[in-house]
Amino acid sequence: MIPAAFDYVRAESGDHAIAQLSEHGDDAKLLAGGMSLIPLMKLRLATPAVVIDLGRVRDLSYIRDAGNHIAIGALTRHRAVETDDLLARECGVIRAVAAQVGDNQVRHRGTIGGSVAHGDPASDLPAALLALDASFVAQGPSGTREIRAADFFQGFLETALAPDELLTEIQVRKSGASGFAYEKFNRRAQDWAIVGAVAARVNGGTHVALVNMGPTPLRARAVETELTQGASAADAAREAAVGTEPPADLNASPEYRTHLAQVLVRRALEAI
């Protein structure tokens, strides 16, 4: 389908984008890589009156060592995350998960910030960031604030970002080059995950997060609790679906997703 008519603004800077958001309010949408917004516009599930293009705001594309964490600019493309040497040494799980996002075309255009801000529970990177207790930096007319990943994803395609705020940075703690696994089940390599499971060792413990098992990315808290009590990977994985709301669609029933979550969590735990 053809998108509804809209006005186009090319943002010259992050501040310019925020000013445009403040001016146009809910009628405006930000365009980063376009991998999420453009399909919605073509289906007319999103009909913004104004599209603010962030593609040339270069100062929001970076990966830096910030001491106790890695700072990733929101406009950093998946391909840059997938191939970054600093992430390979200090936070290998983010690099590995980025390599499984869509296909090459998607990874060369899509951005990590766009994936986070879209808030799709079937996306790969939001679950990995949730497992790592990441923080997100948002900037608006009144200044900058940090939002914990646990508080950021609030509902289906709904996040804690205000309408006039711009996601500028993702902060992830250093978890090392190993000690993680991502298990993803889909019909074709470039498809959204029917279910996915991220397991990572963080500060001496094991964190587990789930993809497409509810309206938001989810932490598998029951699994984590079982592990702290000494349960085996197989026994802990039986609790993978506790507290989840697996959706029903053409790809899978809730019961099948529950089974997949248990299998994938077990595989991820055994892998680390």
Side-chain angles (χ1 to χ4, degrees):
M1 292 180 64
I2 299 173
F6 60 89
D7 291 332
Y8 172 84
V9 176
R10 179 183 296 173
E12 299 171 358
S13 65
D15 289 339
H16 182 213
I18 293 167
Q20 290 296 313
L21 287 174
S22 298
E23 178 181 346
H24 298 288
D26 290 337
D27 290 332
K29 289 290 186 183
L30 296 171
L31 175 69
M35 297 297 99
S36 301
L37 179 61
I38 297 301
L40 290 177
M41 290 176 63
K42 285 184 175 181
L43 293 171
R44 301 209 176 187
L45 297 174
T47 55
V50 180
V51 172
I52 304 166
D53 187 355
L54 298 169
R56 291 170 177 80
V57 183
R58 303 298 185 190
D59 57 350
L60 293 182
S61 178
Y62 55 84
I63 301 173
R64 300 171 183 160
D65 190 327
N68 64 347
H69 68 270
I70 303 299
I72 306 174
L75 291 183
T76 306
R77 301 196 186 277
H78 299 313
R79 177 61 178 168
V81 176
E82 174 189 4
T83 57
D84 187 75
D85 291 337
L86 176 61
L87 285 173
R89 296 192 304 271
E90 302 289 358
C91 193
V93 59
I94 294 301
R95 174 173 153 145
V97 172
Q100 295 199 45
V101 174
D103 53 23
N104 281 328
Q105 183 176 4
V106 169
R107 292 196 295 276
H108 277 279
R109 290 296 306 165
T111 64
I112 187 170
S115 180
V116 169
H118 186 50
D120 194 326
S123 293
D124 305 280
L125 282 164
L129 294 166
L130 187 62
L132 292 177
D133 290 326
S135 293
F136 307 128
V137 180
Q139 182 178 346
S142 58
T144 299
R145 66 184 179 120
E146 289 188 15
I147 309 168
R148 297 171 57 245
D151 301 323
F152 188 81
F153 304 105
Q154 298 186 339
F156 182 69
L157 304 185
E158 180 184 357
T159 72
L161 283 174
D164 58 355
E165 283 186 319
L166 170 66
L167 178 65
T168 59
E169 185 175 277
I170 293 93
Q171 300 176 349
V172 291
R173 64 178 66 193
K174 296 178 179 180
S175 56
S178 58
F180 65 86
Y182 181 41
E183 295 289 336
K184 176 180 177 178
F185 185 84
N186 49 15
R187 297 176 66 183
R188 297 175 301 175
Q190 68 269 31
D191 284 349
W192 297 103
I194 295 175
V195 174
V198 183
R201 298 202 186 281
V202 180
N203 285 349
T206 300
H207 292 187
V208 181
L210 300 171
V211 177
N212 217 2
M213 282 295 288
T216 67
L218 297 170
R219 281 280 289 275
R221 300 288 186 181
V223 173
E224 296 174 3
T225 299
E226 289 292 310
L227 291 172
T228 61
Q229 296 174 353
S232 66
D235 289 340
R238 293 192 182 99
E239 307 299 313
V242 173
T244 67
E245 300 176 43
D249 55 30
L250 294 176
N251 291 313
S253 66
E255 294 76 17
Y256 185 49
R257 280 193 163 90
T258 293
H259 168 71
L260 282 176
Q262 294 169 342
V263 171
L264 297 177
V265 168
R266 176 180 57 77
R267 289 177 181 175
L269 293 175
E270 290 174 349
I272 65 170

